[in-house]
Amino acid sequence: MAKIKTKEEIALIRQGGKMLNKILMQVAEIVRPGVSTFELDQMGEKLIRQAGGIPAFKNYGQPPYPGSVCTSINAEVVHGVPRKDRILKEGDIISLDVGMRYPAENGLYTDMAITVPVGKIGSELQKLVDVTRQALDIYKDNLRAGEKWSKVAGKVQKYVEGQGYGLVRDLVGHGVGHAVHEEPQLPNYVIPTYDFVLREGMVLACEPMVTSGDYEIETMEDHWTVATKDRKYSAHFEHTFAITKTGCEVLTGK
Ligand code: MF3
Ligand code: CO
């Protein structure tokens, strides 16, 4: 089951998380029509290294993920691969997902994502983004020691589906700290056969992935980019949280 982190470990993750938040905001600031996802990735990698961290996603998995920032546009849900020929255009939405090990030597991991508009976006698309951000807020407001995971995920599911959106099921949030992905798995919906109780000192990356159509996804030919099967839009937000006695702390906050 989930490793419990010490106060010292959480303090270090908090330090890295605050830096990661700043880095992600700086990357988001250069999002505009005409910018390539490669430029966003280069900026993220440069800022992570300047901060004394290591990009956690670079060379992750098999085949090795080539970027430092996952850049997922419109129907792409997560793990979009940065490319020089992938140019943002007015009206797009883009999920920027970034992980960092901090400090570079013997560091701990944090993970955070936001979805941002490119220029002006339509009101329907804005609603999708708002509902997804709100889903992450439901985690923030409900995580606490002693609570069952299914109770919190159930609130997220009820809200998102109640608004008429889909919640991706085949990808989950995760424990984080000594690696990018640790136990436990954090499904954003209720699975009757899966549950656990939240405990003080757990560090969890919660990441609702919301779609404006069906929740089915597929992986593209680049082996990484995940998109909705029906090619309807998707949004994604993520924070790294520490579970406390009375609630939680956003470790990737300002
Ligand atoms: N935040 C993403 C996740 O938890 C990180 C993906 S790993 C990468 O799934 F290899 F795609 F970078
Ligand atoms: Co994650």
Side-chain angles (χ1 to χ4, degrees):
M1 244 293 123
K3 289 178 200 117
I4 299 300
K5 270 77 178 180
T6 64
K7 283 219 156 47
E8 291 73 25
E9 287 172 327
I10 289 174
L12 196 55
I13 296 174
R14 180 186 298 117
Q15 235 188 311
K18 280 188 192 303
M19 293 167 116
L20 190 66
N21 181 300
K22 259 197 203 130
I23 289 166
L24 190 50
M25 293 309 143
Q26 281 176 269
V27 174
E29 259 176 44
I30 69 163
V31 166
R32 57 175 169 74
V35 168
S36 74
T37 54
F38 179 80
E39 288 171 85
L40 300 174
D41 180 64
Q42 291 299 103
M43 168 116 178
E45 176 166 2
K46 191 185 83 192
L47 292 171
I48 287 170
R49 295 195 192 279
Q50 276 175 2
I54 300 275
F57 300 164
K58 194 137 201 169
N59 296 318
Y60 183 96
Q62 205 49 251
Y65 184 79
S68 299
V69 182
C70 296
T71 52
S72 310
I73 301 170
N74 298 342
E76 296 166 359
V77 181
V78 288
H79 305 168
V81 175
R83 290 163 53 141
K84 286 184 179 164
D85 63 356
R86 199 71 203 281
I87 310 295
L88 300 181
K89 48 183 202 333
E90 181 98 20
D92 287 344
I93 54 170
I94 180 169
S95 153
L96 303 169
D97 186 352
V98 58
M100 174 168 76
R101 185 174 88 215
Y102 178 83
E105 293 284 313
N106 298 316
L108 294 171
Y109 289 83
T110 50
D111 193 357
M112 179 181 178
I114 55 174
T115 296
V116 296
V118 181
K120 266 200 177 21
I121 61 169
S123 59
E124 263 181 51
L125 212 41
Q126 186 63 52
K127 173 99 193 283
L128 169 69
V129 173
D130 291 346
V131 165
T132 312
R133 190 191 294 103
Q134 183 61 33
L136 187 59
D137 279 342
I138 293 173
Y139 281 119
K140 188 181 72 196
D141 294 341
N142 289 278
L143 293 169
R144 64 169 176 81
E147 190 65 283
K148 281 185 178 168
W149 175 259
S150 62
K151 186 105 179 274
V152 186
K155 285 186 182 178
V156 170
Q157 181 178 12
K158 188 162 178 244
Y159 169 70
V160 171
E161 292 179 351
Q163 294 290 320
Y165 294 95
L167 262 172
V168 170
R169 301 191 170 205
D170 291 347
L171 293 168
V172 296
H174 49 92
V176 59
H178 301 288
V180 190
H181 294 132
E182 289 179 354
E183 287 193 355
Q185 295 197 19
L186 305 175
N188 294 297
Y189 69 106
V190 177
I191 305 175
T193 54
Y194 177 83
D195 212 355
F196 67 95
V197 176
L198 295 161
R199 289 169 58 200
E200 187 178 2
M202 284 182 175
V203 175
L204 306 176
C206 299
E207 46 183 323
M209 292 153 265
V210 175
T211 67
S212 51
D214 197 76
Y215 58 70
E216 294 282 352
I217 55 171
E218 62 188 2
T219 304
M220 305 287 91
E221 269 161 25
D222 63 15
H223 296 285
W224 274 106
T225 305
V226 172
T228 56
K229 266 193 186 159
D230 59 14
R231 298 298 187 265
K232 299 258 174 89
Y233 285 77
S234 172
H236 171 223
F237 283 84
E238 175 175 24
H239 267 311
T240 299
F241 297 96
I243 306 303
T244 66
K245 262 199 202 70
T246 54
C248 70
E249 180 188 351
V250 180
L251 296 175
T252 42
K254 280 186 193 131

